[in-house]
Amino acid sequence: MKSRPSDPSVINSLRQGGYILYVRHGEATVGEDAPRVDFNDCSTQRNLSEAGRRQAEKYGEALRSLQIPVQAPVIASPFCRAKETAELAFGEGKVQTDSFWVRVYNLSSTLPPAEQQATINDLTTVLETLPPQGSNKVIVAHSFPRGIGLGEITNLGTVIVKPRGQGNGFEIVGRFTLDEWLSFR
């Protein structure tokens, strides 16, 4: 799991497909999620700020202008801020939520080591799965705690993962901030 600094040549590789773009949701409002989050009630959660909504729209525009093919549906955490980020970037009706990403969100809380390791193992399985040929899988979810999983990720930051196939792991080939995506256009 080596990580290289951001490299604009990765854009040309992304145009060919075969990668996973793991994206953190846009900027959220200040505060905390309610102790019992209801995924059908956004009032129990931190939501996107106006700046976060604009970030999400710019993110989608950047990928489209760079002609990076994206597999539909885009996968999102069921938290409203992640789902809304994906919908604003890629279009309503093109997003599917997956409750697995709640487990990634929970890595930031105190979990028993066995549960934390099980989540990381399952994450590896997801990240080593090849997307359909000629396309890239996009996952919009959450940052990780420092030193765990894909590490800390800024709002609308992207970790670009090259899957090696089931049981063969994956490689991190780049990390881009939203500003870097916008500068490539």
Side-chain angles (χ1 to χ4, degrees):
M1 263 187 358
K2 290 184 296 193
S3 178
R4 289 186 226 149
S6 300
D7 177 357
S9 72
V10 170
I11 300 299
N12 289 327
S13 298
L14 289 172
R15 288 183 179 128
Q16 307 306 309
Y19 294 85
I20 296 173
L21 283 67
Y22 183 91
V23 186
R24 182 181 179 192
H25 60 77
E27 178 185 287
T29 53
V30 177
E32 292 187 7
D33 295 312
R36 294 185 196 275
V37 169
D38 177 350
F39 294 117
N40 297 311
D41 181 358
C42 294
S43 72
T44 65
Q45 310 166 43
R46 290 174 52 229
N47 293 290
L48 287 184
S49 63
E50 278 307 312
R53 288 186 183 93
R54 285 191 302 276
Q55 290 169 339
E57 290 167 352
K58 286 180 180 178
Y59 185 86
E61 289 167 12
L63 265 58
R64 284 186 291 281
S65 75
L66 291 167
Q67 299 178 317
I68 295 172
V70 172
Q71 172 189 350
V74 168
I75 304 301
S77 163
F79 279 88
C80 293
R81 58 187 173 268
K83 185 176 176 208
E84 185 180 10
T85 295
E87 288 174 344
L88 288 169
F90 301 102
E92 284 190 50
K94 295 183 179 176
V95 176
Q96 178 180 326
T97 59
D98 182 343
S99 61
F100 170 73
W101 302 105
V102 175
R103 291 176 54 199
V104 167
Y105 169 83
N106 288 336
L107 287 172
S108 295
S109 59
T110 309
L111 290 178
E115 189 176 337
Q116 185 181 48
Q117 191 56 53
T119 298
I120 295 300
N121 292 347
D122 291 344
L123 173 69
T124 298
T125 300
V126 170
L127 296 180
E128 64 189 12
T129 303
L130 298 163
Q133 191 156 0
S135 192
N136 298 291
K137 180 175 187 168
V138 175
I139 300 166
V140 180
H142 309 277
S143 185
F144 292 80
R146 182 186 310 248
I148 295 177
L150 299 176
E152 293 178 291
I153 305 169
T154 59
N155 291 324
L156 276 161
T158 306
V159 179
I160 300 167
V161 175
K162 179 67 176 166
R164 292 194 183 122
Q166 286 308 134
N168 296 315
F170 61 91
E171 178 185 5
I172 295 173
V173 296
R175 291 177 174 269
F176 294 129
T177 64
L178 176 59
D179 287 343
E180 286 172 315
W181 281 113
L182 298 175
S183 74
F184 295 139
R185 296 201 279 178

